[in-house]
Amino acid sequence: MTQASGAVQGQRNQGIKAFKPVLSNLDLDGKVVTADAMRTQVENARFLVREKGTDYVLPVKQNQSTLFGAICQLKPDSFFPVGENR
């Protein structure tokens, strides 16, 4: 859905495999995509960045222990303000 209007842009109830088909026809260049933890997969992140030219916010739960552990080890100075390139 779009943040400004709340209008649904795409929806499909087909589990984890539906991520790419739902987003494929949308113009996401310069947008930020959010999804639930089930969609937090390497192939989905690559698709968003490489094919759609977008940024993303994907939650990470403890059942993805390697990724969760790596994130927990990050120091606050590892992050920078939105729009600031390093």
Side-chain angles (χ1 to χ4, degrees):
M1 76 171 46
T2 61
Q3 184 177 6
S5 70
V8 174
Q9 301 296 305
Q11 182 173 317
R12 186 177 288 176
N13 186 12
Q14 293 183 349
I16 199 163
K17 300 270 186 212
F19 188 82
K20 188 174 179 180
V22 167
L23 300 177
S24 288
N25 294 326
L26 298 175
D27 177 14
L28 299 174
D29 189 44
K31 307 289 190 295
V32 177
V33 172
T34 61
D36 61 16
M38 188 166 89
R39 309 304 186 255
T40 303
Q41 305 290 326
V42 171
E43 67 184 69
N44 290 341
R46 285 187 181 138
F47 165 72
L48 291 172
V49 173
R50 294 180 182 170
E51 294 183 38
K52 300 305 289 181
T54 187
D55 292 317
Y56 59 85
V57 177
L58 299 174
V60 177
K61 292 180 153 185
Q62 291 179 344
N63 64 338
Q64 293 188 338
S65 58
T66 303
L67 180 56
F68 187 84
I71 291 170
C72 288
Q73 295 299 315
L74 292 172
K75 307 249 185 284
D77 62 354
S78 299
F79 302 93
F80 52 94
V82 174
E84 179 183 320
N85 294 321
R86 287 193 181 177

